[in-house]
Amino acid sequence: MTLRQLIKNAHTNAHNKGFYKTRNCLKSIGCIPLSGNTTAQIMLVVTELSEAVEALRHDDIPNFQEEIADTFIRLFDMCGALGMENLEEIILRKMEINANREEKHGKEF
């Protein structure tokens, strides 16, 4: 399955489970999540990562893996909402930029 398909599936599932105010998205404005904004969607990604850290603290590797998967699912849904179905191209472009940056991107850590 491609990233494009994962994004579509995650976003469709989020719609089907009631996470959006409308069933249809307009490409020009994106989807409107029940939370009301993209910032809240980003914080849900952070929450999934926090849950992954907590699972590691308890040495619960199966739960850690699920939380990492949840993180990607939330990201894929958000990409679908924002019309970023070309995420693979965006990632490859950014990886090329990063490959040409200086060590640690010129920072201490």
Side-chain angles (χ1 to χ4, degrees):
M1 187 174 288
T2 67
L3 279 179
R4 188 177 298 274
Q5 291 167 317
L6 289 168
I7 289 167
K8 182 178 180 186
N9 290 355
H11 188 56
T12 297
N13 188 57
H15 266 283
N16 291 342
K17 298 300 178 185
F19 285 98
Y20 289 86
K21 292 179 181 178
T22 63
R23 290 283 177 212
N24 298 313
C25 299
L26 300 174
K27 288 280 186 189
S28 60
I29 63 168
C31 294
I32 302 170
L34 286 178
S35 61
N37 60 52
T38 303
T39 304
Q41 284 183 297
I42 293 169
M43 290 312 299
L44 288 172
V45 172
V46 172
T47 299
E48 298 297 350
L49 289 171
S50 296
E51 290 171 355
V53 169
E54 199 60 25
L56 277 180
R57 290 182 69 222
H58 295 283
D59 199 29
D60 185 351
I61 300 307
N63 189 34
F64 169 77
Q65 292 171 343
E66 285 187 23
E67 298 304 338
I68 294 299
D70 283 342
T71 301
F72 279 98
I73 291 166
R74 293 265 188 204
L75 283 168
F76 292 156
D77 169 39
M78 186 173 63
C79 288
L82 297 173
M84 294 174 55
E85 293 89 4
N86 65 333
L87 181 62
E88 187 171 355
E89 296 163 25
I90 296 167
I91 290 171
L92 291 173
R93 194 173 331 126
K94 182 57 177 168
M95 288 179 73
E96 187 174 328
I97 291 168
N98 287 347
N100 293 311
R101 294 176 81 176
E102 60 185 294
E103 185 175 328
K104 297 182 192 172
H105 300 182
K107 299 183 175 68
E108 182 64 27
F109 56 90

